[in-house]
Amino acid sequence: MSQVNEQTIGHVHRDDEATRIGMWLFLFTELLLFGGLFIAYAVYRYLHPHEFMMAGKELNSFLGALNTVILLTSSLTMALSIAAIQRNKKNLSIFLQVLTLILALGFLINKSFEWSIKFSHGIYPGSETLLAKGSGEILFYGLYYTMTGLHAIHVVIGMIIIGVMTLFTIKGTINSGNNVRLESAGLYWHLVDLIWIFLFPLFYLIL
Amino acid sequence: MSSDSSHNVSYLDYKGRWKGKITSWIFSTDHKKIGVLYLFSMLILFSIGVLFGFLMRLELIAPGKTIMEPQMYNSIFTLHGIIMIFMFIIPGLPAIFGNFFLPLLIGAKDVAFPRLNLLSWWLFMFGSLLAILSVFLPGGPVDTGWTFYVPYSVRSTTNVFPALIAAFILGFSSILTGLNFITTIHRMRVQGMTWFRMPLFVWSLYATSWIQILATPIIGITLLLVVMERAFNIGIFDPSLGGDPVLFQHLFWIYSHPAVYVMIIPAMGIISEIIPVFARRTIFGYKFIAFSSIAIALMGSLVWAHHMFTVGMSPTAMIIFSVLTFLVAIPSAIKVFNWVATLYKGSIQLDPPMLYALGFIFLFSIGGFTGLIQGALSVNIHIHDTSFIVAHFHYVMFGGTGFGIFAALHYWFPKMFAKSYNMKTAKFSFWTLFFGFNVLYFPMFVMGWLGMPRRYYDYLPEYHIYHFISTIGSWIVVIALVAMFANFIVALRKKEKFTEENPWGGETLEWKTSTPPPLENFDIEPVVDSHPYEYKMNEPDQDLLKEEGTK
């Protein structure tokens, strides 16, 4: 895909297999990025099991579960959009990608509700209410905001990527014969989903 | 299949869609140009790092205040570390010579993702400039040491924040280079280039890239957590909120110890390229050298806590980490023995690249053995945080990787720029550097053993003589480096072109294309049908001797 090839040779060097390898390696680094946080969670949960349980009970597991459903559904629509473009159903693929974006937005809105409820109760890093609590609960919320915050950033990045892919699909540069970029975006979106699948039980369910 | 214009055009002359002199470089996705961009940006950063090191040594020439205040001294050793480690030694060999020569060595036209490659250079520049900028922002240059240990890095009022973000961005650039190289090695080898016909530098890049991918995200998240800690008091590393600073050290070294191997393995790869060429012999134990790179990468990921023997871990953990540390020495020793075995009965030519390679073996061996001394638990307590460790890692990093980079530079410079440098000056700068290096760092072993702590601004009079000798050594090193760089600059400004394809008589693919390499590396795609180092054992090659005679 070098500039050279594009300009002087007239055919674009394309290696879908290489793109897939590169994408999987990148996803691996993303898992490790969150891995460091999961280690911190494991260490502090081991040190403060009771306080982690207390703090976890204060989270709204209904909103958490709702978000899990939203995100899993968005992964489905994303996967379907790839299947659609491979079957040359351009409009269906675009519709499914837009649906994915809407679901992702729904996830973020729901998340912001959850955060702002906690904020209104005075529970945020460095707040007086939180500092008055035990260190296990401080650490729980420190990790909660860091991990769900980093995850939310990934949701936003994923939305930008899918948005660009939608434009490419409308333009036709992503089509039934050339869709490895959409596939890679899908892989990224599944990773975002996968990380949430672990965050949800760790913060909301294991009590 | 291609138009004539791209054939036989030197990569140096090709401008592509960018007509400007500078834009044709900084927006080029050609792996060779990106390699050269890295070379120049890193040599500039290296020179800044040398300057800081030089000032640090000058301050320490006598007890008490000499040229700067303690706060300045703290900032200077921090910046020396950050620049040298994050911007020169870690990315150096893969980014400069990996970019330039990996595709050439495996017969490819470019790396797998050329645009990503350019992005990683831009990220590198952005991160480096941010780090440099943090020196001049209000608040003052960062003073935490390159390790950013908490709790001080959370409390320091200096510009820790931009420095952390800079290190994070540099890590991102490093990851992208790593995944690019792995994909390239898997997908772009030319016909006949089987895994066991790959040059050993390619094997070393492969091992290095895996470490970059597996370890760098951990430091990324660790640095982000320090940022969060500074900005929002999340408490993860803050003992007053229940956090644990030792957890930071674990997370930090889970990356930063493997990073040591990111620094040294490609240098070992360079040495494995150079030794057979200048001994005119097939490399001894090819597979062992190749697999020992992988073994170092694997085992090196499991030894991080040997940086932390004094923090109060459980004795069981300490014994395990100490044993694993000893084990890493085995694959390193395999390499050294194989190099020496390759030299045995070879017809050795002491050209500058070979001198640097031999210098590497000597200095790296000293650095490696003193590493074993520190791996022993009881001795470690005695020499922990003394200048013994400073001497050790300079022998490994500067004497090892630094000499590896200089070896590569002298080896490949004619191919890269189609200019020849002055052999006498190159040999002079090598011997001066080798001598000055030992004068600079060997006294640190002695004073460290006697108890001189590292990073201290002041010291007791009994250490004066060692500090004095060491500072004299730093002047000799600077003279040698100036001579070396001047030699290259003079060579670059020469009018006459050096177009010999294969000046050293190497057998790997980069010597089978013209000098400088054409835009797409090879005018005719090469086919590989033998191992990379097929020299006729012990028999002088007649064609080669003729070539030498005309040089």
Side-chain angles (χ1 to χ4, degrees), chain B residues 472-532:
Chain B
I472 301 285
S474 75
W475 300 343
I476 303 173
V477 165
V478 168
I479 291 169
L481 290 175
V482 168
M484 186 202 299
F485 288 165
N487 192 18
F488 285 130
I489 292 167
V490 169
L492 282 177
R493 295 177 69 91
K494 264 194 216 168
K495 284 269 180 316
E496 56 184 299
K497 286 249 178 202
F498 176 85
T499 51
E500 208 171 314
E501 252 177 40
N502 193 355
W504 311 116
E507 290 287 317
T508 36
L509 286 181
E510 82 273 33
W511 304 115
K512 293 184 178 151
T513 187
S514 48
T515 298
L519 187 61
E520 294 193 327
N521 294 346
F522 300 95
D523 291 333
I524 305 155
E525 196 165 86
V527 177
V528 180
D529 53 8
S530 64
H531 286 274

Side-chain angles (χ1 to χ4, degrees), chain A residues 1-11 13 15-23 25-26 28-30 32-37 39-40 43-44 47-48 125-126 131 134-136 138-139 141-143 145-146 150, chain B residues 1-3 5-6 14 16-18 27-29 109-110 112-115 168 172 175 179 182-183 186-188 210 213-214 217-218 220-221 224-225 228 232-237 241-244 247 251 254 519-520:
Chain A
M1 292 199 185
S2 71
Q3 189 194 89
V4 172
N5 284 340
E6 283 164 11
Q7 293 198 338
T8 55
I9 297 185
H11 83 272
H13 169 81
D15 184 353
D16 289 354
E17 196 58 32
T19 310
R20 283 190 201 103
I21 292 176
M23 194 62 205
L25 289 171
F26 178 71
F28 209 28
T29 69
E30 287 278 15
L32 285 159
L33 186 79
F34 279 92
L37 288 168
I39 289 176
V43 168
Y44 292 127
L47 291 174
H48 310 278
L131 289 180
S135 53
I138 298 175
L139 289 170
Y141 281 106
L143 284 165
Y145 282 112
T146 311
L150 190 63
Chain B
M1 57 183 255
S2 66
S3 62
S5 66
S6 78
Y14 181 79
R17 94 182 86 166
W18 305 98
F27 296 123
S28 168
T29 52
K109 286 178 177 167
D110 207 316
F113 309 114
R115 280 179 292 193
F168 181 83
F172 211 122
I175 286 175
L179 79 81
I182 291 179
T183 314
H186 272 280
R187 296 293 301 173
M188 315 256 312
W210 273 109
I213 284 192
L214 294 180
I218 310 285
I221 195 67
L224 279 187
L225 281 174
M228 294 290 286
F232 304 114
N233 283 321
I234 53 170
I236 287 173
F237 298 137
L241 298 177
D244 187 357
L247 183 64
L251 290 172
I254 284 176
L519 187 61
E520 294 193 327

